[in-house]
Amino acid sequence: MSLVCWNPNRELTAFPTDILNMQREINKMFNGFFRGDTQDDGSLVPSVWTPAVDVAEHENQYVVKVELPGVTKDDVKITMQENVLTIRGEKKQETETKDSNFHRVERSYGSFQRSFSLPTHVKNEKIEASYKDGILTVTLPKAEEAKPKQIEVKVK
Amino acid sequence: MTKNTEVAVMQQNTGLPMTRPEAQENIVVPFVDICETPEAFVLILDMPGVSKESISATMDRGSLIVKGSVKPYHRENAFLLFNELRNASYYRVFNIGEGIDRSNVEAQFEHGVLTVKLFKSDELKSREIQIK
């Protein structure tokens, strides 16, 4: 073994690692709890993890972005029923590494589901979804009656 | 997690001084799985929202530095009803010990997941000993 220079910082920082890891776990738990979705009867959906979601409202459409790293296109199902958008799917563990020896597991695996009730009606037949670099983007154009209208005021 | 603790986690991972991204930039430490196969250690990092062009993995004096930046997710005039995604740069440093062949590192990026393969040097590989 080669000689290693003694680094006093390393000893000082050895202790908080556990606390920081614990904080990370607690943050994860809280995120899962507050983002959890409810089923029709009010009970929590038994999802293993909850992906982060952005819902943006534009003048003519809604854009939903979901963080889904490592999920293939075929593992995601998007449904629209009575103005409620539901995104569900499953994140599978890579088959290549399944049998190997894990030293650290921080990423989440398993099924997920999230539902959103949209404030206005959308054109169901014009909903589009794309998946790129681990981000799922769903574009929902607003129905004609929900678009903002400008009313001209005539001055006599 | 606050920004300060994230910075502490990064310093945790390496005893070396390092150049961090601009201080005002928002930083996220990507989640990682580390697994061991007979011939290599494999790091799997979740980095959603990063394009292949803006991702970098650098081997520097015994540490592996992984960086990636995210473009803004929405147009400026968007009104956010839900905002859980973070417009931040990913940054994480790993200490690479002896027994890793530092010249033989493979990385690939697909569906927002970066996979880095660090091959073991010959002395770390398990081998069968012939019995005479």
Side-chain angles (χ1 to χ4, degrees):
Chain A
M1 203 187 142
S2 59
L3 274 174
V4 178
C5 182
W6 178 62
N7 182 354
N9 278 333
R10 203 169 280 177
E11 271 175 37
L12 275 173
T13 52
F15 162 71
T17 329
D18 295 337
I19 290 177
L20 288 170
N21 282 342
M22 197 168 80
Q23 189 180 8
R24 197 179 253 242
E25 286 303 312
I26 291 170
N27 281 346
K28 243 171 144 179
M29 254 161 59
F30 267 86
N31 283 342
F33 179 75
F34 287 115
R35 287 185 203 152
D37 272 304
T38 47
Q39 277 167 330
D40 296 336
D41 59 349
S43 63
L44 276 168
V45 174
S47 60
V48 185
W49 65 292
T50 322
V53 174
D54 266 14
V55 180
E57 182 173 359
H58 296 270
E59 203 174 302
N60 297 323
Q61 63 187 23
Y62 294 100
V63 178
V64 179
K65 301 223 172 201
V66 193
E67 239 177 33
L68 293 171
V71 174
T72 51
K73 213 168 63 185
D74 304 325
D75 290 334
V76 185
K77 291 266 176 308
I78 303 163
T79 50
M80 186 76 193
Q81 197 182 17
E82 288 169 19
N83 231 33
V84 175
L85 173 78
T86 302
I87 298 159
R88 63 163 67 88
E90 196 186 347
K91 185 174 167 187
K92 290 172 186 148
Q93 200 158 11
E94 286 84 352
T95 44
E96 195 198 335
T97 54
K98 223 172 196 170
D99 304 319
S100 51
N101 188 8
F102 273 88
H103 292 275
R104 201 181 184 97
V105 180
E106 292 172 359
R107 301 162 69 229
S108 317
Y109 300 101
S111 55
F112 60 87
Q113 177 180 333
R114 296 203 71 175
S115 298
F116 303 91
S117 135
L118 296 166
T120 57
H121 285 284
V122 295
K123 290 177 189 159
N124 282 3
E125 68 283 359
K126 291 239 169 92
I127 297 171
E128 276 174 27
S130 64
Y131 180 76
K132 193 181 173 245
D133 293 331
I135 302 279
L136 174 79
T137 307
V138 187
T139 315
L140 309 109
K142 284 183 189 172
E144 286 306 327
E145 71 263 21
K147 280 185 192 168
K149 280 186 200 88
Q150 201 157 12
I151 298 149
E152 217 176 311
V153 180
K154 281 177 190 160
V155 182
K156 279 181 187 169
Chain B
M1 202 184 273
T2 62
K3 204 166 153 187
N4 283 340
T5 52
E6 275 168 3
V7 171
V9 171
M10 293 187 309
Q11 284 165 343
Q12 203 59 58
N13 287 334
T14 172
L16 294 163
M18 58 186 154
T19 47
R20 254 182 271 131
E22 294 302 307
Q24 63 265 33
E25 228 178 309
N26 212 348
I27 297 163
V28 166
V29 180
F31 285 127
V32 69
D33 283 1
I34 302 175
C35 66
E36 187 179 350
T37 63
E39 74 277 3
F41 285 96
V42 186
L43 313 183
I44 309 161
L45 293 109
D46 272 350
M47 295 167 91
V50 174
S51 63
K52 203 177 174 182
E53 296 75 43
S54 70
I55 205 163
S56 79
T58 322
M59 196 62 130
D60 178 32
R61 287 181 297 170
S63 2
L64 174 75
I65 302 165
V66 179
K67 278 189 223 173
S69 59
V70 177
K71 279 189 200 142
Y73 288 113
H74 304 282
R75 277 186 277 147
E76 261 177 36
N77 59 352
F79 174 71
L80 294 179
L81 303 164
F82 270 84
N83 188 8
E84 295 166 0
L85 303 195
R86 294 172 63 185
N87 264 321
S89 297
Y90 293 98
Y91 189 83
R92 194 155 182 174
V93 180
F94 299 94
N95 260 348
I96 306 301
E98 283 170 36
I100 297 288
D101 185 357
R102 286 177 196 174
S103 56
N104 191 6
V105 181
E106 266 176 29
Q108 68 168 40
F109 185 69
E110 198 186 27
H111 302 316
V113 178
L114 177 74
T115 311
V116 183
K117 235 180 188 173
L118 300 155
F119 287 94
K120 293 178 189 174
S121 58
D122 289 331
E123 62 207 88
L124 212 70
K125 277 182 199 158
S126 66
R127 60 192 164 90
E128 212 166 324
I129 295 148
Q130 255 184 344
I131 296 157
K132 283 174 191 164

